[in-house]
Amino acid sequence: MAGERILLLGVNHKNTPLEVREKLALSSGYEEPLQALGKIEGLREYYLLSTCNRVEILVSANDDADVERELSRFLFGEAISPEQYKKYLYCYHNEEAIHHLFMVAASLDSMIVGEAQILGQLKEAYRWSAEQKCTGPILNKLMHKAFSVAKRVRSETRIGSSAVSISYAAIELARKIFGSLENKRVLLIGAGEMAELAAEHLVGNGAKDVVVANRTLERALDLAKRFNGHAVGLDELFEQLEQVDIIVSSTGAPGIILHKDDVKPLMRNRRNKPLFFIDIAVPRDLDPALNDLDNVYLYDIDDLNNVVELNKAERDKEAVKASRIVDEEALKFKDWLAGLAITPTIAALREKGNKVSMMELERTLPRLKNLTPKEQKSVEKMAAAIVSRLLHDPVVFLKSESCKDQSEMKVDFFRSIFDLEKKE
Amino acid sequence: MLSEINSLLFGSVLLVSFVASVLYLVFFFNQKEKLRRLARKILLGSGILQSLYIISRYFIAGHTPITSQHEAVTFFAWSVTWAYLSFHWRYSVKNFGTFISLLVLILLLIAASVSRAFHPLAPALQSLWLPVHASISVMAYGFLALAFCGGIMYLIQEWELKSKRLGFFFSRLPSLDALDQLNNHCLTTGFVLLTLGIITGSVWARQAWGAYWQWDPKETWSLITWFLYAAQIHQRLTAGWRGKRAAVMAIVGFCAVLFTLWGVTFLLGGVHSYGR
């Protein structure tokens, strides 16, 4: 539709520090901000996305309305002055906006590229907008396209398949050893922050029981309470090793606290059930030779980092493939939009042609008195045929690929040649 | 006429199995789910064609077609295929099909390379025990072959985890736990069938030759194989043997199976040496 443009404004984790993102006026869910957006003049359709890493507004607006300033004021509220927010805000138009949206949906713009959460957040945000009737034909189509692009990226590349943080790497390894983490028991040796984080991930992925062994029982009790587990003293370590499956060690001990020869006899009592040791302490807590035991797997912090690096390299390769898919789809969507822009022009042209032929027929037919109804029909048909033949080539030109980049100019030019009514 | 259909059938078995293997291999690289489903359907088609081929040979020969080298190996491929297909209905082990389809193809190629002539059956062997003994034994081999493939996959995956070189296979192979369960399941099933095979064989031997056991090389090697598997299952039940040791034992056991099937026939002879 002529006189319309797509605009995407926002801030994200890349160029906006957390302190600024926190101040944005959109912490209260979607309902209120969407209503507030509705009051801005010149917006036809609008949609809003707010996650902890980004806030973005996507609108389709009238060409002449200066919604950019209004929108940024809406985004930043009174808290931040325009001079200040200018360096944070990005603002994309038309093709760039489409491309950016697709990048976000495909998780190529995420802090952890390839993470799967963003698509759900996008869908949730869209649901709010759609429910409040803020979206129309263009945004509906655009958002659904974004979802399908994300799906295509996910199925055609392996971008989401590898773990790129230490915790994820540990989970991935545990899955390859145990199949599923369901009902697996975790032992934390040392009650530091790292251990807590690792335990959180393991429990979040299905691990059942958390046992905390620490030098000071008090701290162990605190941490155990968080996971509904129980605490033991360090002297009970060997007993526990017979029961658990995954051990995360992170004590501040200066030397090795668990030797190969300590664990070896335990394996018999465990009936050789696998043990997965994760040593995130520096200096290391666990004897590297543990890894030589059958059914025992030991990864220290360097090993985990290597896995992460490997996955990152793999992921970057996949990201290139994914970007290509996004480029391709953004181009396709642009073509669709361009098609949308010329449809009314073609209709107007045809209408004008019909009008001209009708006018001429009305003038000529009364003068031709001896025509039979059949002959009269033929003359009418001929007039219509001349018009449609004549208009055929210009319409083909309008639809053609040539000067696609300046399709708006082309439409304007076309309208002035045929003196079609000015667009509203 | 029947023999023309017969050789046509074998040709199509080879072709279809080849296509299934290629698809499974491509799937192994690019991991497209659509491809896997297609490959599986084609492997199912190969299984059906193999069955038809065996039935057609049954009608031509007039007895269960397991008396020549060609027939025994074809039967073997058939049992691996169907053991896998039946197994798959209960569990799903990632990318197992690639390994199985390759094994089936190799077996069929071996079958294709030996003489496909029909052998008349000695009157002493014409008994209902032939199909019973032979098919139970071959089904046992089928399940033991699955355990063998699972064992190889286990060793690869375990090596990647231990050496911390998580490469090409790491993401493509299933978890160690899944492979160990596969090993347990297939060995138990295979072992029960193997035991039944030996028992039915000895009953038949009593009928045909008058003695339950006569230390024929094939019998001896079957017994050795049986003890290998029995030891492993015993160890799993008592000492909790699992993982790498179980995988290695599955491979060793299967080597004994292969030797029983071919080595004995070519190297040692005896009453079981059909189709030389």
Side-chain angles (χ1 to χ4, degrees):
Chain A
M1 244 157 287
E4 182 167 56
R5 60 192 172 134
I6 295 174
L7 208 65
L8 190 147
L9 269 94
V11 296
N12 66 11
H13 57 94
K14 282 182 186 159
N15 40 23
T16 313
L18 188 60
E19 305 92 76
V20 178
R21 296 206 309 270
E22 277 168 350
K23 280 189 210 151
L24 298 188
L26 304 168
S27 48
S28 55
Y30 282 113
E31 221 167 330
E32 272 173 47
L34 280 172
Q35 276 166 12
L37 266 176
K39 289 184 189 124
I40 296 178
E41 219 150 289
L43 293 191
R44 293 194 191 175
E45 303 172 32
Y46 47 96
Y47 143 95
L48 173 71
L49 170 73
S50 168
T51 77
C52 48
N53 286 330
R54 70 181 65 246
V55 178
E56 286 180 355
I57 307 170
L58 176 67
V59 302
S60 128
N62 289 341
D63 229 355
D64 40 8
D66 179 24
V67 292
E68 221 169 298
R69 218 179 33 189
E70 287 290 324
L71 285 175
S72 27
R73 199 175 304 152
F74 162 81
L75 197 57
F76 289 98
E78 301 303 322
I80 301 157
S81 66
E83 293 80 48
Q84 227 183 327
Y85 66 59
K86 241 177 206 145
K87 65 179 174 197
Y88 302 131
L89 186 73
Y90 48 81
C91 178
Y92 297 117
H93 295 256
N94 300 327
E95 292 108 77
E96 282 181 333
I98 296 165
H99 191 264
H100 181 81
L101 176 72
F102 288 179
M103 289 292 273
V104 171
S107 190
L108 291 169
D109 200 53
S110 304
M111 192 179 299
I112 298 168
V113 171
E115 55 100 3
Q117 242 177 358
I118 184 68
L119 185 60
Q121 292 165 334
L122 226 68
K123 282 183 174 163
E124 163 93 20
Y126 171 65
R127 203 168 47 83
W128 278 103
S129 297
E131 265 172 17
Q132 303 216 7
K133 313 243 178 305
C134 311
T135 58
I138 292 190
L139 282 201
N140 283 337
K141 173 103 179 173
L142 184 55
M143 292 308 295
H144 281 114
K145 195 73 214 171
F147 302 150
S148 77
V149 170
K151 209 177 147 200
R152 210 187 132 195
V153 164
R154 218 142 261 283
S155 67
E156 290 181 24
T157 72
R158 290 201 306 280
I159 192 151
S161 68
S162 46
V164 289
S165 77
I166 286 187
S167 295
Y168 279 113
I171 302 270
E172 194 187 0
L173 288 164
R175 284 230 176 89
K176 281 292 177 188
I177 295 169
F178 297 109
S180 118
L181 295 185
E182 231 40 57
N183 292 326
K184 293 292 174 279
R185 309 180 72 180
V186 180
L187 169 66
L188 305 179
I189 309 176
E193 209 173 298
M194 284 285 269
E196 192 175 342
L197 196 70
E200 215 167 74
H201 267 97
L202 287 166
V203 170
N205 280 279
K208 189 183 66 173
D209 231 356
V210 177
V211 182
V212 185
N214 198 37
R215 200 160 40 86
T216 56
L217 200 61
E218 208 185 337
R219 171 80 184 117
L221 274 168
D222 276 356
L223 190 55
K225 219 194 282 168
R226 267 206 59 196
F227 297 107
N228 280 330
H230 60 280
V232 297
L234 271 180
D235 45 340
E236 291 168 82
L237 197 59
F238 294 126
E239 259 165 68
Q240 287 303 325
L241 279 177
E242 288 182 17
Q243 314 289 332
V244 300
D245 306 286
I246 301 167
I247 297 99
V248 180
S249 188
S250 64
T251 73
I256 303 280
I257 61 167
L258 201 60
H259 290 272
K260 181 181 172 188
D261 293 337
D262 302 331
V263 177
K264 199 174 175 186
L266 294 174
M267 288 313 281
R268 199 178 164 79
N269 293 344
R270 290 182 56 81
R271 296 179 59 79
N272 291 311
K273 270 192 311 189
L275 267 176
F276 180 29
F277 286 97
I278 303 164
D279 186 356
I280 48 180
V282 181
R284 284 183 288 185
D285 285 342
L286 307 176
D287 181 3
L290 278 172
N291 197 44
D292 301 336
L293 291 172
D294 255 1
N295 298 312
V296 175
Y297 304 88
L298 167 70
Y299 277 72
D300 64 30
I301 192 90
D302 278 4
D303 298 332
L304 290 174
N305 271 327
N306 284 342
V307 174
V308 168
E309 284 307 311
L310 214 73
N311 285 345
K312 269 188 187 151
E314 163 86 355
R315 191 202 56 197
D316 290 347
K317 249 188 355 209
E318 294 299 310
V320 173
K321 254 195 255 172
S323 309
R324 212 163 43 223
I325 293 175
V326 166
D327 292 351
E328 190 189 313
E329 295 287 348
L331 222 76
K332 272 195 217 158
F333 195 84
K334 201 186 97 192
D335 288 353
W336 179 81
L337 263 185
L340 213 59
I342 59 171
T343 315
T345 308
I346 292 173
L349 185 64
R350 292 232 164 92
E351 207 188 305
K352 175 155 189 177
N354 279 340
K355 229 191 255 166
V356 170
S357 89
M358 289 303 248
M359 218 164 70
E360 292 304 317
L361 279 171
E362 269 165 30
R363 264 212 326 237
T364 313
L365 280 179
R367 278 189 241 151
L368 302 168
K369 283 176 189 131
N370 300 328
L371 288 184
T372 63
K374 208 177 161 194
E375 283 166 332
Q376 194 174 327
K377 266 248 157 66
S378 294
V379 173
E380 282 170 12
K381 261 191 187 162
M382 183 190 73
I386 290 174
V387 168
S388 78
R389 280 271 165 125
L390 205 57
L391 293 186
H392 176 74
D393 288 332
V395 167
V396 167
F397 167 73
L398 200 56
K399 283 183 178 169
S400 73
E401 301 282 325
S402 71
C403 45
K404 194 132 226 177
D405 298 333
Q406 300 117 19
S407 65
E408 202 157 318
M409 238 170 76
K410 194 162 78 173
V411 169
D412 283 345
F413 183 58
F414 209 83
R415 281 180 173 264
S416 40
I417 285 185
F418 287 96
D419 190 27
L420 301 174
E421 55 212 88
K422 283 275 164 253
K423 46 189 179 177
E424 40 343 326
Chain B
M1 176 62 190
L2 208 54
S3 67
E4 267 168 38
I5 292 176
N6 186 261
S7 62
L8 205 68
L9 263 174
F10 190 71
S12 53
V13 164
L14 270 181
L15 182 72
V16 171
S17 306
F18 176 74
V19 171
S21 298
V22 169
L23 284 178
Y24 264 121
L25 267 181
V26 174
F27 164 68
F28 196 76
F29 279 89
N30 72 9
Q31 298 286 298
K32 295 246 166 76
E33 178 59 21
K34 253 187 223 161
L35 210 58
R36 189 190 67 80
R37 264 182 257 142
L38 180 65
R40 187 174 154 71
K41 275 184 196 128
I42 291 177
L43 189 66
L44 182 69
S46 159
I48 292 168
L49 284 171
Q50 288 172 40
S51 309
L52 289 176
Y53 176 67
I54 290 170
I55 291 170
S56 81
R57 267 191 96 91
Y58 176 84
F59 281 114
I60 296 171
H63 56 79
T64 311
I66 195 156
T67 51
S68 76
Q69 185 73 12
H70 171 73
E71 289 168 342
V73 178
T74 310
F75 224 120
F76 192 5
W78 175 87
S79 74
V80 175
T81 311
W82 284 102
Y84 169 68
L85 290 170
S86 73
F87 173 85
H88 200 89
W89 289 322
R90 299 182 51 180
Y91 307 92
S92 176
V93 177
K94 207 177 171 192
N95 282 324
F96 196 34
T98 307
F99 288 76
I100 293 301
S101 66
L102 282 176
L103 180 67
V104 168
L105 183 63
I106 291 170
L107 287 173
L108 287 171
L109 287 175
I110 292 171
S113 69
V114 298
S115 154
R116 291 180 218 174
F118 289 91
H119 291 267
L121 196 59
L125 297 180
Q126 283 168 4
S127 153
L128 195 64
W129 285 110
L130 170 65
V132 174
H133 164 67
S135 57
I136 289 178
S137 305
V138 168
M139 271 322 279
Y141 291 174
F143 277 96
L144 297 175
L146 294 195
F148 164 76
C149 283
I152 290 180
M153 289 165 82
Y154 187 98
L155 290 187
I156 298 173
Q157 183 68 296
E158 207 241 14
W159 183 83
E160 295 226 328
L161 273 165
K162 280 273 189 197
S163 67
K164 295 162 188 175
R165 276 181 224 151
L166 310 182
F168 179 72
F169 287 104
F170 178 73
S171 60
R172 288 177 172 80
L173 293 183
S175 68
L176 293 179
D177 185 66
L179 288 169
D180 196 53
Q181 276 179 29
L182 171 105
N183 176 298
N184 192 15
H185 171 87
C186 290
L187 279 192
T188 316
T189 313
F191 182 72
V192 169
L193 290 172
L194 191 67
T195 312
L196 285 175
I198 292 177
I199 293 172
T200 52
S202 86
V203 172
W204 182 25
R206 167 95 175 101
Q207 203 185 58
W209 299 309
Y212 286 110
W213 199 266
Q214 49 187 343
W215 300 107
D216 161 77
K218 194 139 218 155
E219 290 173 0
T220 313
W221 272 94
S222 298
L223 201 62
I224 292 172
T225 310
W226 187 86
F227 270 115
L228 276 173
Y229 283 115
Q232 185 192 344
I233 286 171
H234 174 261
Q235 283 301 94
R236 185 187 274 275
L237 289 177
T238 56
W241 263 31
R242 61 162 79 216
K244 190 176 176 182
R245 268 188 234 178
V248 170
M249 283 302 286
I251 294 170
V252 170
F254 190 68
C255 291
V257 166
L258 290 183
F259 187 76
T260 314
L261 194 66
W262 283 307
V264 172
T265 307
F266 289 112
L267 300 177
L268 304 172
V271 288
H272 276 86
S273 321
Y274 31 67
R276 278 221 274 177

